[in-house]
Amino acid sequence: MSHLEGKSPDERRAALFTKHGYTLQKKLGQGVSDVAFLVNNLEEDLYVIKEINCRYESSDTVKKEVDIIKHLNHAYIVDYEDSFEDREAGLFYIVMEYCAEGDLNKRMQTQRGNGFKEEQIHDWFVQICLALKYLHEKNILHRDIKPQNVFLTEYGYINLRCLIALERADQYTNSGVGAELYDSPEVFKGRYASKSDIWSLGWLLHDLCMLDVWSDILERRFLHAISMRGTPPDISEKYSEELRELIKEMLSCDPNERPSVDDILAKPFLNDSVKKYKKIPEALEQKFMKSIRAFDQAYNKHYIELEILVSEWAKATDSLEDIHYKATAGSLSGGVIGAAGGITAVVGAILAPFTLGASLIVTGVGVGVGVAGGLTGAASNITNTVKQKSLRESLEKIEQTYKNASAPILNSLKTLKQLMKKIAKFCVFVSASTLDNAQMAWRVGRSTVSCVTEIMHICLLANIGRIGAQAAKIGRAAAAASGVLSGILIIADVAFIVKDSMEIHEMRNTKTTNDPEQFKSSVLRSIAQMRKTHQELCNVLDEIKNTREELKEYIEKAGTNTWTHDSADT
């Protein structure tokens, strides 16, 4: 039976997300055949999961689409992260990059009555064109360009979502999809080519200039209908003649008369925006610099403290093992003595009738020995209970202090990881010649784009994720250790003498090991887990230190603010 069977749709979805490492936060929106959800992964990074109902789109079509989009890597295209499906429910899920500022359609709705400045329109339009150029060069058609598929990031640039039935552009396709009011004349005739994307983009550009036309949907439909007959819509004269003329060219009914993406990007009036967005956006660069400085400050303030705490963790582990060893040994000693005394007393009592009371002396001795054994075990118990309490308090203090000291470093590294993933997407604007000289270009301050390849060579993305995962283990290990301290029992019963002696033997043979699987005793397994955690924390310290060393030059430049924001050679 499936673990999802018998659950409600919401419970089923949440359980499926959890299974794949995501936690559902909220529903973002719903279309005809899909629903969008905001989720976070185990590292608390936010993503969007698109739920596609395969009753409307065949599973094979969706999988074909995923095979295309998962290989896309561009600064202005939404990143694909993961995918999975619920076959029984006929649902397919695509995990994508989250864009914090919503889509362009919502921004257009809030801007009505004021209109956008032409410079802002140029910037958005050029970014979409750069994304479309990347797709067309790969012989991929978008086929659904509309404001709802253009997303705004917190750093001021856009991301184009590529999700709706992507097809190869090496020939006309037989069917068209997308919003009807952005479809070209040839799409209604059952054909689609790269110039069909240009038509859709032309209408998007029109809508950015003429926001108020959407106040009357019938008017918008009428304008689209007459454009299909060769009458392009009018554009407000507050916008430049070059922009108005470009929209007319893009909305030509003859696909051959429409400009290509390369033709558009070569327009002189767009030069400034093209130059501006063929590199890392300034807001993203500034955030990266700020995060570099934050990491350096956290490192300088807390790293030595972390080294001391990890050392104390090792000492606490040794102390715990020592306490357990002595407690078990004390228990065993007391138990053996008590057992010997008990046996002597029993023997004396049995022999009394035959020895005319002489054996009662033996019984008395046996009782005395038994009492001594009990006192030995009790003394061991009292002594080690005091030690346990002190050690448990020490562990709890180490754990809390470690959390406080590690949080600033780990949080700054997490931010750096997120930013570097975004920066990596701008590698597409670094030419082959720049790639070969990326390190030198960075050092002389020619371009921040060049830093992308150098950062990727450092492999910090993997390092930072591993650091966070390992550092989190100290809390779990500390909790386990406290349980061990609370649960160590000083056994004085004769029946457990053999068990105690076996455990001492086990401790002697495998002392200081960090492999919990080597032990049968739950206490010894916990101690081994603490040793293993100590080793992992040492690895964390090494990786944090190595990460700072790798970032040393960037830290120096961030501190002196010597980075430049020039365009890379393309």
Side-chain angles (χ1 to χ4, degrees):
M1 178 183 292
S2 168
H3 73 288
L4 300 177
E5 192 171 331
K7 296 180 179 292
S8 70
D10 289 342
E11 291 173 334
R12 187 184 185 97
R13 182 184 298 114
L16 188 65
F17 287 4
T18 300
K19 177 184 176 182
H20 290 275
Y22 302 99
T23 301
L24 178 61
Q25 297 297 315
K26 65 178 180 179
K27 180 178 177 180
L28 293 175
Q30 183 164 358
V32 175
S33 62
D34 55 60
V35 189
F37 300 95
L38 180 66
V39 302
N40 60 263
N41 65 3
L42 298 177
E43 296 178 9
E44 299 299 320
D45 298 324
L46 292 173
Y47 293 98
V48 171
I49 292 185
K50 197 80 168 178
E51 178 186 88
I52 299 174
N53 193 328
C54 293
R55 295 187 181 92
Y56 297 94
E57 292 282 356
S58 73
S59 178
D60 289 342
T61 299
V62 175
K63 288 178 181 178
K64 180 180 179 182
E65 184 178 321
V66 167
D67 285 340
I68 295 173
I69 65 174
K70 71 182 181 181
H71 294 110
L72 301 180
N73 182 32
H74 190 275
Y76 304 122
I77 292 178
V78 173
D79 257 357
Y80 161 93
E81 293 289 336
D82 192 9
S83 63
F84 49 90
E85 61 183 312
D86 183 349
R87 293 184 180 179
E88 296 176 4
L91 299 172
F92 199 94
Y93 296 90
I94 301 176
V95 185
M96 298 176 294
E97 178 182 359
Y98 172 62
C99 300
E101 299 300 313
D103 64 48
L104 191 56
N105 182 60
K106 292 177 182 176
R107 180 67 178 275
M108 291 164 67
Q109 290 175 355
T110 59
Q111 194 72 20
R112 285 180 195 171
N114 297 317
F116 294 114
K117 293 181 179 179
E118 183 162 343
E119 181 182 358
Q120 176 66 83
I121 293 175
H122 287 186
D123 287 350
W124 285 336
F125 177 63
V126 162
Q127 291 172 65
I128 299 170
C129 284
L130 289 170
L132 200 57
K133 172 182 169 67
Y134 173 81
L135 294 176
H136 286 181
E137 286 177 346
K138 290 182 171 291
N139 291 325
I140 298 173
L141 301 179
H142 188 281
R143 302 185 71 206
D144 197 30
I145 293 177
K146 57 186 180 182
Q148 291 88 340
N149 279 332
V150 178
F151 289 84
L152 304 172
T153 70
E154 59 189 301
Y155 301 108
Y157 62 92
I158 66 95
N159 269 180
L160 179 64
R161 182 174 65 189
C162 303
L163 189 62
I164 307 298
L166 295 170
E167 294 286 352
R168 289 288 173 182
D170 52 2
Q171 61 182 0
Y172 282 97
T173 58
N174 295 321
S175 62
V177 294
E180 180 185 351
L181 295 181
Y182 292 91
D183 282 346
S184 64
E186 65 270 17
V187 169
F188 282 89
K189 297 176 183 179
R191 297 175 299 176
Y192 205 105
S194 62
K195 293 297 183 68
S196 305
D197 280 341
I198 299 299
W199 170 282
S200 300
L201 185 55
W203 266 110
L204 189 154
L205 184 56
H206 163 275
D207 290 350
L208 285 172
C209 296
M210 305 294 290
L211 294 175
D212 290 342
V213 74
W214 278 101
S215 61
D216 186 345
I217 186 63
L218 293 178
E219 175 67 13
R220 177 62 173 78
R221 288 186 177 278
F222 173 74
L223 292 175
H224 182 263
I226 63 173
S227 73
M228 303 281 277
R229 293 290 184 180
T231 304
D234 292 328
I235 305 297
S236 171
E237 292 187 359
K238 76 176 184 178
Y239 296 107
S240 68
E241 183 178 348
E242 293 90 344
L243 181 60
R244 287 183 280 133
E245 184 60 32
L246 176 58
I247 293 173
K248 289 181 180 180
E249 292 175 10
M250 296 173 72
L251 295 181
S252 171
C253 287
D254 183 353
N256 295 319
E257 293 181 1
R258 298 175 204 154
S260 66
V261 180
D262 286 330
D263 293 333
I264 294 171
L265 291 171
K267 297 288 185 181
F269 79 100
L270 295 174
N271 278 349
D272 288 345
S273 289
V274 172
K275 182 179 179 181
K276 181 179 179 181
Y277 288 101
K278 273 194 170 182
K279 58 185 178 181
I280 301 173
E282 189 171 355
L284 181 57
E285 177 185 334
Q286 294 298 325
K287 179 65 174 178
F288 179 65
M289 292 169 63
K290 183 178 179 181
S291 296
I292 287 280
R293 290 193 292 267
F295 166 66
D296 184 51
Q297 291 168 1
Y299 180 92
N300 291 334
K301 184 175 181 180
H302 297 290
Y303 186 78
I304 294 178
E305 183 181 5
L306 287 181
E307 283 187 316
I308 294 171
L309 288 169
V310 172
S311 176
E312 289 180 357
W313 179 267
K315 293 177 182 177
T317 304
D318 289 339
S319 296
L320 175 58
E321 188 171 55
D322 185 59
I323 286 173
H324 181 53
Y325 182 88
K326 289 180 178 178
T328 308
S331 169
L332 178 61
S333 299
V336 170
I337 294 172
I343 292 171
T344 303
V346 170
V347 170
I350 293 173
L351 293 177
F354 306 100
T355 58
L356 302 176
S359 60
L360 291 177
I361 299 174
V362 176
T363 301
V365 171
V367 171
V369 171
V371 170
L375 292 174
T376 301
S380 173
N381 192 348
I382 294 170
T383 300
N384 287 291
T385 297
V386 172
K387 290 182 179 179
Q388 288 176 42
K389 184 176 184 298
S390 175
L391 181 57
R392 183 164 60 249
E393 291 173 351
S394 175
L395 278 174
E396 290 170 354
K397 183 179 178 180
I398 291 173
E399 178 193 3
Q400 188 57 50
T401 307
Y402 186 92
K403 287 180 179 179
N404 294 339
S406 65
I409 294 179
L410 297 179
N411 290 340
S412 63
L413 283 174
K414 178 183 175 181
T415 301
L416 272 177
K417 176 186 175 182
Q418 294 169 339
L419 290 170
M420 283 189 289
K421 285 185 69 175
K422 296 181 184 299
I423 289 173
K425 294 169 63 177
F426 286 84
C427 281
V428 69
F429 297 129
V430 183
S431 66
S433 60
T434 310
L435 285 172
D436 294 337
N437 299 286
Q439 189 170 351
M440 183 58 66
W442 172 262
R443 287 174 178 169
V444 300
R446 280 181 54 204
S447 170
T448 46
V449 176
S450 301
C451 82
V452 173
T453 52
E454 191 174 353
I455 288 173
M456 290 303 100
H457 291 322
I458 296 172
C459 298
L460 288 181
L461 293 182
N463 287 358
I464 293 171
R466 190 162 56 252
I467 287 170
Q470 290 176 333
K473 293 179 180 179
I474 189 169
R476 294 193 293 271
S482 294
V484 169
L485 290 166
S486 299
I488 291 178
L489 300 177
I490 311 304
I491 304 168
D493 199 320
V494 176
F496 291 96
I497 291 176
V498 175
K499 178 182 175 182
D500 281 359
S501 61
M502 289 177 64
E503 189 152 307
I504 290 177
H505 177 72
E506 189 176 8
M507 292 169 70
R508 283 173 173 169
N509 288 341
T510 53
K511 191 172 184 179
T512 72
T513 184
N514 61 2
D515 182 5
E517 299 304 318
Q518 291 190 22
F519 294 102
K520 296 178 181 179
S521 163
S522 60
V523 175
L524 297 183
R525 280 200 302 269
S526 297
I527 294 171
Q529 184 62 54
M530 287 182 67
R531 291 199 180 281
K532 184 176 181 180
T533 299
H534 173 256
Q535 183 57 56
E536 289 173 340
L537 291 175
C538 288
N539 294 339
V540 167
L541 291 177
D542 288 342
E543 292 195 27
I544 290 175
K545 190 172 184 178
N546 292 338
T547 297
R548 186 181 183 277
E549 190 62 29
E550 296 280 12
L551 289 172
K552 187 175 180 180
E553 289 188 44
Y554 309 122
I555 291 170
E556 291 174 356
K557 291 184 180 292
T560 58
N561 202 26
T562 58
W563 292 358
T564 62
H565 200 75
D566 300 325
S567 175
D569 298 330
T570 55

